[in-house]
Amino acid sequence: METKSHPVTNFIETRLIYDTVCKLWDANNWPSIPLASLPENAICTNFEDQCDILAVAFVYHTNSNLAWFEWLVCSPEVRRGPRSEILNSTIKFAEDYAKSNGLMLFTSIKSVNLISRLESRNWKKTDSGMTNFIFS
């Protein structure tokens, strides 16, 4: 996938793009998260001259200043160069949203590439070797 346009990142109602998000998760061998477990809005990135959603992430927050940045996924069809630009645009959007709302972002990841990307953006590592659990 080659393009000369720039990534555009915005919030979109999760319910409107849920099927697309599930396809991205499936393409990356991730389980689908139930719609009821996701925030009302998703952070979506595409190129300004295309409508295909190429990356998605979610920010969960309540009445505290700690927010959870999670389920960041990028289309596997996006090649290396544009992939970095798309991921950076998605992360920057979340960072800008957090700053403008007085939030501190927390995330839990295992991808060494994503760990390096966040560290290069001045995210601070809190723990390593953790196993995450969910109960429902």
Side-chain angles (χ1 to χ4, degrees), residues 37-57:
S37 299
L38 298 171
E40 185 176 307
N41 294 304
I43 299 171
C44 296
T45 302
N46 62 306
F47 282 112
E48 57 194 9
D49 62 352
Q50 299 173 7
C51 61
D52 290 341
I53 295 170
L54 302 174
V56 177

Side-chain angles (χ1 to χ4, degrees), residues 25-133:
W25 285 332
D26 186 54
N28 283 277
N29 298 313
W30 291 10
S32 293
I33 306 303
L35 180 59
S37 299
L38 298 171
E40 185 176 307
N41 294 304
I43 299 171
C44 296
T45 302
N46 62 306
F47 282 112
E48 57 194 9
D49 62 352
Q50 299 173 7
C51 61
D52 290 341
I53 295 170
L54 302 174
V56 177
F58 297 90
V59 175
Y60 296 77
H61 62 96
T62 60
N63 62 347
S64 78
N65 75 331
L66 181 63
W68 187 33
F69 177 64
E70 195 53 83
W71 316 122
L72 172 61
V73 65
C74 189
S75 171
E77 296 175 17
V78 179
R79 294 200 304 210
R80 196 167 206 60
R83 184 178 193 85
S84 183
E85 194 176 5
I86 289 165
L87 287 170
N88 285 338
S89 180
T90 307
I91 294 165
K92 184 178 182 332
F93 186 89
E95 292 168 346
D96 291 346
Y97 176 78
K99 285 178 189 173
S100 68
N101 288 283
L103 301 172
M104 179 174 55
L105 293 178
F106 169 84
T107 192
S108 178
I109 54 177
K110 69 177 181 179
S111 164
V112 293
N113 291 333
L114 187 51
I115 289 168
S116 295
R117 181 179 305 277
L118 293 180
E119 287 176 334
S120 75
R121 300 183 64 83
N122 295 318
W123 287 59
K124 307 296 181 230
K125 190 183 287 189
T126 60
D127 266 323
S128 61
M130 299 295 294
T131 301
N132 298 302
F133 291 90

